[in-house]
Amino acid sequence: LGEFKKLGCPILIGVSRKSFLPGALKDRLEPSLAASFVAAMNGASIIRVHDVAVHKRMFGIIDYVGSRQGRVLEAAAQDPSR
């Protein structure tokens, strides 16, 4: 994705339930979630998925954990005794 990011355009990726993911078709949810996360972390702007609610929940959790981690790190920096 790095090469596409250099073009400066939004990147659309669709990895949901693809055959390159391990597992039988019905067992590809977790690999799809992982591939979507990796794509987002590497610059994908738009992610096409089949299981929208599950992906939305996953990215919401990631955002929450990330924001909490940021607040914890900020607090620790302000009070080194923590």
Side-chain angles (χ1 to χ4, degrees):
L1 293 177
E3 292 297 314
F4 288 112
K5 275 179 65 171
K6 292 177 187 177
L7 299 173
C9 298
I11 300 170
L12 168 86
I13 192 159
V15 293
S16 184
R17 300 184 188 171
K18 295 294 184 254
S19 61
F20 74 88
L21 297 171
L25 182 58
K26 66 180 181 153
D27 296 328
R28 291 190 187 149
L29 177 59
E30 290 85 0
S32 293
L33 289 166
S36 295
F37 174 73
V38 170
M41 294 303 296
N42 285 286
S45 308
I46 306 161
I47 301 173
R48 180 197 169 275
V49 300
H50 289 93
D51 306 288
V52 175
V54 177
H55 277 79
K56 181 178 179 185
R57 205 165 54 241
M58 177 198 64
F59 281 111
I61 292 167
I62 290 166
D63 285 344
Y64 174 78
V65 170
S67 67
R68 293 231 353 124
Q69 181 182 14
R71 288 195 300 270
V72 169
L73 293 174
E74 285 175 16
Q78 292 173 3
D79 181 4
S81 65
R82 291 183 105 179

